[in-house]
Amino acid sequence: MANHRHDVIVIGSGAAGLSAALNLASHLKVAVLAKGALSEGSTARAQGGIAAVLEPGDTFESHIEDTMIAGAGLNNRRTVEFVVENAPAAIEQLAALGVPFNPGESERWHLTREGGHSHRRIVHVADATGWAVQEALEKAAAEHPNITLVPDMAAIDLVTGRHGENGAREDCVWGVYAVNRRSGRVELFTGRATVLATGGASRAWLYSTNPRGSTGDGIAMAWRAGCRVSNMEFNQFHPTCLYHHDVKNFLVTEAMRGEGGHLKIPGTGHRFMPEFDPREELAPRDVVARAIDHELKRLGLDYVHLDISHRDPEFVLTHFPTIAERLARPDIGIDITREPIPVVPAAHYTCGGVVVDLDGRTDLQGLYAAGEVTQSGLHGANRMASNSLLECLVFGLAAARHINANWDDLPLPPAIRPWDESRVTDSDEEVVVHHNWREIRRFMWDYVGIVRTTKRLERALHRVDLLRRETEDYYGNFRVTPDLIELRNLVEVSGLIVRSALARKESRGLHYTLDYPDMLPDAVDTILTPEG
């Protein structure tokens, strides 16, 4: 088995992973693993922008309070302060790497406003900010002599003490086993530190804005290795995903509502958000998603309309060129300057994840995590718009700083056992993987969606348990494939989500249950701990 030895292994090639790698590579050898192509993750899909206090009149305290309000008080205030106060420096670092943020008329950059924010503080590159950030970070990493970019590597499990020879410590992580998608062979990547930057788990649902690879891999691997996870019940459904029979996961940015887009009932043109919240279309995402869900069920609709056609066409095309160009193609055929966009909510962001501190440290020595894979305390019960890329940048740097400062204290990897395939065969029943994948996403959508009940969650847990036993039996008998790895992780993470949702006896932020519609006076994290 190929054994690739580096100083640090970074699993994930989006904003969090590449930020960590670039801040480690001055004196350490870093390998960055991507499950597919380097830019296939969620970072490149982020349309809106990055939140930061950048203009006179705005303050750190305002950004902090907006984040706390959106998170329904479950946020860790110290974490929110840490991220908000480090936001301007993160933006400056991106600008230094060549990210071409839109210039303002009188200010340095044009700032837009999104749901939950009390000021214009979203710096952006038109409506394709994520792609510009990904491109700049990827270019810098590719040019760095100490960074090795490794695409098409599907991580299977973290390397811990139980994989080591000669009585290795069990509370340490020294890398990862991964299957090479091109050769089909399992390879070993070892280092003194490992950074998880694998993103979230929104593909657990039937409708999602996320790329196919958002299957909760890092959360599941960390859980199996012995890390706590927290707040997995808080799953953000983006209010405005394109409704189309063939195009399943095209996100329509929240910035469109920030620039005056209205949500309307098809046929009547009635604006319904004023009936649900005084902030109207600029209410936080959980409020808007529930309002849309309510109207869809009340009226028996398949979608609602998002309409910005009342704005000047030049303004619309200048601010949303990517969306306008994509929707105008023949397969969709919508001119957003003249007609509304049919939209539905879709699973978008995982607010819970692996528990980390302000240095990105997990419960295991040598294992760090940054970005959507974590529960850092920033988002609480609901992530506020454009705080996600910001978290990736700030915590990617924080993890790198701690690794650099404590390098001599990290133990060297012991001898690691090679991957054992002596008792497995190639599968002749791949249909099981694809069937179980579809079943998970369907029952998660039906039973663990925007509005929940205890009965629905209990039904979901029963199905998760059945699929876990079936999947583990399959995993134990056949050679691993990327699809099997994702199924195994989806089953694990779906179980964590359902168990967390059953444990919360209230409605708070993104978790809304008809059986407990009120919010309790004390905000308490849901923390799950692995047995043993």
Side-chain angles (χ1 to χ4, degrees):
M1 181 183 66
N3 184 354
H4 308 277
R5 296 178 177 87
H6 300 266
D7 293 322
V8 182
I9 308 300
V10 176
I11 311 173
S13 58
L18 292 175
S19 294
L22 288 168
N23 285 284
L24 288 164
S26 61
H27 65 287
L28 297 175
K29 299 289 186 179
V30 184
V32 178
L33 278 59
K35 184 157 61 170
L38 295 169
S39 57
E40 274 187 7
S42 294
T43 292
R45 293 173 175 240
Q47 296 175 349
I50 308 170
V53 175
L54 296 168
E55 71 171 5
D58 196 5
T59 64
F60 286 156
E61 188 60 32
S62 176
H63 191 176
I64 292 164
E65 289 305 314
D66 289 347
T67 301
M68 296 290 294
I69 291 169
L74 193 64
N75 325 62
N76 181 316
R77 190 177 186 91
R78 186 174 172 221
T79 303
V80 178
E81 292 171 349
F82 173 73
V83 173
V84 167
E85 290 168 4
N86 281 280
I91 301 302
E92 292 291 350
Q93 288 180 351
L94 290 178
L97 288 175
V99 176
F101 293 117
N102 282 27
E105 293 182 3
S106 56
E107 301 82 12
R108 181 180 178 188
W109 292 309
H110 178 266
L111 303 177
T112 189
R113 182 180 172 190
E114 296 180 354
H117 291 275
S118 57
H119 290 271
R120 286 183 170 267
R121 63 168 68 101
I122 316 301
V123 64
H124 62 103
V125 183
D127 59 349
T129 307
W131 179 255
V133 170
Q134 178 72 31
E135 190 175 44
L137 291 172
E138 202 174 302
K139 181 176 183 293
E143 294 174 349
H144 203 294
N146 282 348
I147 297 177
T148 302
L149 300 175
V150 191
D152 297 317
M153 280 290 174
I156 305 170
D157 266 321
L158 296 170
V159 173
T160 62
R162 66 188 180 90
H163 301 109
E165 299 176 354
N166 304 321
R169 287 177 52 181
E170 292 193 4
D171 63 343
C172 291
V173 170
W174 289 291
V176 67
Y177 293 105
V179 63
N180 187 319
R181 302 176 75 107
R182 300 174 184 177
S183 69
R185 302 306 299 271
V186 176
E187 301 181 17
L188 174 63
F189 291 81
T190 56
R192 287 168 69 174
T194 303
V195 180
L196 278 177
T198 52
S202 288
R203 293 297 283 189
W205 284 270
L206 184 61
Y207 301 106
S208 172
T209 64
N210 283 202
R212 188 185 186 281
S214 297
T215 49
D217 303 332
I219 298 170
M221 289 192 297
W223 171 259
R224 289 193 293 265
C227 292
R228 292 171 299 155
V229 300
S230 177
N231 293 349
M232 291 298 294
E233 69 271 36
F234 297 113
N235 319 107
Q236 187 176 85
F237 288 77
H238 197 287
T240 53
C241 178
L242 174 70
Y243 177 84
H244 193 275
H245 290 297
D246 298 318
V247 182
K248 297 295 186 183
N249 63 347
F250 186 77
L251 173 71
V252 182
T253 176
E254 185 154 355
M256 187 170 288
R257 284 182 282 126
E259 295 297 342
H262 295 158
L263 288 165
K264 299 179 178 180
I265 300 298
T268 68
H270 172 66
R271 279 184 68 196
F272 57 88
M273 277 310 302
E275 299 158 15
F276 289 88
D277 194 281
R279 292 165 290 187
E280 302 175 346
E281 279 82 3
L282 288 175
R285 288 177 177 175
D286 61 321
V287 176
V288 179
R290 278 200 300 273
I292 294 173
D293 184 71
H294 179 274
E295 294 301 282
L296 295 179
K297 291 174 178 174
R298 182 177 72 88
L299 298 171
L301 301 172
D302 291 324
Y303 58 84
V304 298
H305 277 149
L306 175 60
D307 191 1
I308 198 168
S309 62
H310 55 280
R311 299 293 312 257
D312 179 72
E314 184 178 350
F315 174 89
V316 173
L317 295 175
T318 299
H319 282 76
F320 308 107
T322 305
I323 296 173
E325 188 273 331
R326 180 67 184 93
L327 297 189
R329 293 180 191 175
D331 60 333
I332 300 176
I334 296 174
D335 180 354
I336 67 172
T337 67
R338 301 179 62 184
E339 54 192 322
I341 306 166
V343 295
V344 291
H348 181 62
Y349 193 87
T350 306
C351 286
V354 182
V355 176
V356 295
D357 64 11
L358 293 183
D359 295 313
R361 291 184 296 174
T362 71
D363 294 330
L364 300 176
Q365 186 170 14
L367 180 64
Y368 296 76
E372 192 177 355
V373 70
T374 70
Q375 199 288 93
S376 67
L378 173 62
H379 306 306
N382 182 19
R383 177 180 70 85
M384 190 167 67
S386 291
N387 272 354
S388 54
L389 286 177
L390 176 60
E391 181 185 34
C392 291
L393 300 167
V394 171
F395 273 91
L397 173 59
R401 282 176 173 165
H402 193 271
I403 293 170
N404 287 329
N406 296 275
W407 182 250
D408 292 339
D409 296 328
L410 294 171
L412 290 166
I416 303 297
R417 295 192 304 273
W419 188 258
D420 183 7
E421 290 188 332
S422 62
R423 291 173 291 178
V424 298
T425 62
D426 290 324
S427 172
D428 58 356
E429 300 180 19
E430 277 291 311
V431 66
V432 174
V433 174
H434 300 292
H435 173 81
N436 287 0
W437 174 285
R438 289 193 298 269
E439 185 175 345
I440 289 171
R441 299 182 68 208
R442 168 56 70 181
F443 75 66
M444 287 293 287
W445 183 260
D446 290 341
Y447 300 143
V448 198
I450 296 171
V451 177
R452 301 164 177 175
T453 68
T454 301
K455 180 70 72 177
R456 292 174 192 168
L457 293 172
E458 288 172 344
R459 288 172 177 158
L461 186 60
H462 175 68
R463 284 159 174 77
V464 168
D465 289 341
L466 290 174
L467 288 178
R468 178 183 290 110
R469 290 194 292 270
E470 190 171 298
T471 302
E472 285 302 320
D473 178 69
Y474 189 99
Y475 179 81
N477 286 284
F478 300 112
R479 287 190 175 90
V480 294
T481 65
D483 285 347
L484 175 57
I485 292 166
E486 290 185 333
L487 171 64
R488 183 183 182 223
N489 292 332
L490 268 183
V491 171
E492 193 76 77
V493 172
S494 296
L496 296 173
I497 292 168
V498 176
R499 287 171 56 193
S500 296
L502 281 167
R504 186 166 292 279
K505 308 299 185 184
E506 64 167 347
S507 290
R508 183 183 296 272
L510 299 167
H511 174 72
Y512 185 80
T513 171
L514 296 176
D515 293 313
Y516 302 97
D518 299 324
M519 187 166 67
L520 295 175
D522 296 323
V524 180
D525 291 329
T526 303
I527 300 177
L528 302 181
T529 303
E531 295 180 6

